[in-house]
Amino acid sequence: MNTTRRGLKRKTLSLQAPAKVNLFLEILGRRPEGYHEVRTVLHAVAWRDRLHFRVRRSGIVLEGDGAELGRRNLIWKAARALQRKLKRSPGIEVRIEKRIPSAAGLGGGSSDAAATLRAMTRLHGIEEDPHWLAEVAASVGSDVPFFLEGGTALCTGRGQRVVPVVPGRPLDFVLVVPEAGLDTPAVYRAFKPSLTRRTKDATPFLRTWAEGEVRKLGRALFNRLEEPAFELAPELGQLKRRIAAMKPLGTLLSGSGSAFFALCADRSRALELADRLRRSGLRARAVRSERPGPSRG
Ligand code: C5P
């Protein structure tokens, strides 16, 4: 989809890239290539990086604050993956206003990558076939396809198979971000499969949400990666207890961590909890559910 009219092609575009939380994450097993088969509910939240794109004839240039600007940045990888797929080299320059903390399980890098794919297809007038764009996104990272649409989705496979979900009412959270991040591969490696344990289905969770039972939803939040993450970083287990002691409806590690989110009954309770957490020395921020769809910056 090219949003510009012929002959009036834009040279610049600004997009906002939201964070996500995993409201539910179960691991179903190990895949032959070493990744894990997951069943996860991803939900975009309103904490956003801002990306400013400018067309170049060729090459990839990244600039900005608070982000690694080299080839390890997922923005760079996304731009490169798109160039490879097209077998030509539409160039892009990206100024990054990084707001979402890295290595926190909040998907900031993946969201930036998805925004880059969207921006490049628009700015270069590339026909957007959703299938091949999702394929390019998946080659950049497991969570990148989700961010092409955002909103709420049940994701399976290694996370790249995305089925949009009609969400229940918008939710209010507090995100708590520890100083130290966690390394996603290390957390997955520390996961110990059990032959006797039954895997959890996401359907009861989604039903509770659809029924609007936010209190019950707090108790239904689930993340199989908490155990290995707490094993790697025991201070995170303590942090969870500290947040839980302030009585949100529920609190959970997001993805592979190290950030937690706490679910609150409404916005004023979220603001109050964020304030208390900050006064106890933690980095905390009240956020709401993001509205679906990519947003202009
Ligand atoms: O796909 P992505 O690059 O985000 O994954 C980072 C790492 O996390 C992978 O290299 C892998 O070690 C681990 N991972 C996994 N199973 C998944 C997703 C990620 O083991 N479903």
Side-chain angles (χ1 to χ4, degrees):
M1 178 185 63
N2 181 2
T3 55
T4 55
R5 269 180 288 157
R6 247 188 203 171
L8 282 176
K9 259 201 210 123
R10 300 174 62 117
K11 292 270 189 280
T12 63
L13 177 64
S14 292
L15 292 178
Q16 300 193 11
K20 59 85 177 161
V21 292
N22 302 66
L23 298 173
F24 179 96
L25 193 162
E26 176 61 293
I27 300 182
L28 306 175
R30 219 155 154 218
R31 293 159 62 97
E33 83 291 60
Y35 276 76
H36 292 76
E37 192 77 23
V38 297
R39 180 187 286 148
T40 183
V41 177
L42 291 188
H43 182 59
V45 295
W47 193 0
R48 310 177 188 100
D49 289 341
R50 288 182 169 73
L51 304 177
H52 308 281
F53 299 92
R54 176 180 294 276
V55 170
R56 284 171 65 91
R57 207 178 281 281
S58 63
I60 303 163
V61 175
L62 306 187
E63 57 181 64
D65 54 356
E68 126 114 55
L69 299 176
R71 294 180 175 212
R72 279 174 44 196
N73 190 310
L74 292 188
I75 294 176
W76 194 93
K77 288 188 179 172
R80 192 70 199 105
L82 190 68
Q83 291 176 341
R84 283 220 180 92
K85 185 81 175 178
L86 291 168
K87 299 192 178 69
R88 60 190 176 94
S89 292
I92 197 80
E93 192 178 303
V94 192
R95 184 163 61 80
I96 310 161
E97 287 181 53
K98 192 76 195 154
R99 298 288 176 267
I100 306 167
S102 305
L106 298 174
S110 303
S111 188
D112 293 350
T116 301
L117 295 177
R118 283 247 175 260
M120 285 181 75
T121 50
R122 283 182 203 168
L123 289 171
H124 288 284
I126 299 159
E127 194 72 29
E128 250 184 50
D129 171 322
H131 283 296
W132 81 250
L133 199 63
E135 246 175 59
V136 177
S139 76
V140 179
S142 306
D143 288 345
V144 182
F146 162 74
F147 283 109
L148 288 174
E149 292 305 326
T152 307
L154 178 62
C155 301
T156 55
R158 59 185 172 88
Q160 91 289 8
R161 220 179 297 136
V162 180
V163 177
V165 165
V166 178
R169 55 159 269 202
L171 300 172
D172 286 282
F173 305 97
V174 177
L175 300 185
V176 182
V177 185
E179 287 283 319
L182 268 182
D183 178 49
T184 302
V187 175
Y188 272 103
R189 269 198 310 275
F191 164 74
K192 292 188 196 75
S194 151
L195 292 175
T196 50
R197 185 172 53 210
R198 278 171 62 116
T199 56
K200 276 182 183 268
D201 188 3
T203 315
F205 172 85
L206 291 170
R207 197 180 311 122
T208 304
W209 192 7
E211 286 163 359
E213 303 225 29
V214 185
R215 225 156 261 287
K216 229 166 115 188
L217 195 66
R219 294 192 295 273
L221 299 169
F222 176 74
N223 184 354
R224 185 68 73 193
L225 287 174
E226 274 196 337
E227 203 178 298
F230 294 176
E231 215 176 279
L232 283 179
E235 66 279 10
L236 290 180
Q238 290 159 18
L239 177 56
K240 174 158 176 160
R241 285 192 289 279
R242 214 170 129 190
I243 301 167
M246 295 191 189
K247 303 270 182 262
L249 300 180
T251 184
L252 193 74
L253 189 75
S254 183
S256 59
S258 61
F260 286 90
F261 61 94
L263 178 66
C264 298
D266 53 40
R267 177 76 177 161
S268 70
R269 286 196 178 78
L271 289 168
E272 194 188 312
L273 178 63
D275 199 45
R276 281 176 67 195
L277 287 160
R278 276 194 299 269
R279 274 189 275 119
S280 81
L282 292 164
R283 182 174 182 197
R285 183 186 173 100
V287 300
R288 296 210 81 183
S289 299
E290 174 71 313
R291 51 185 189 281
S295 57
R296 291 279 165 121

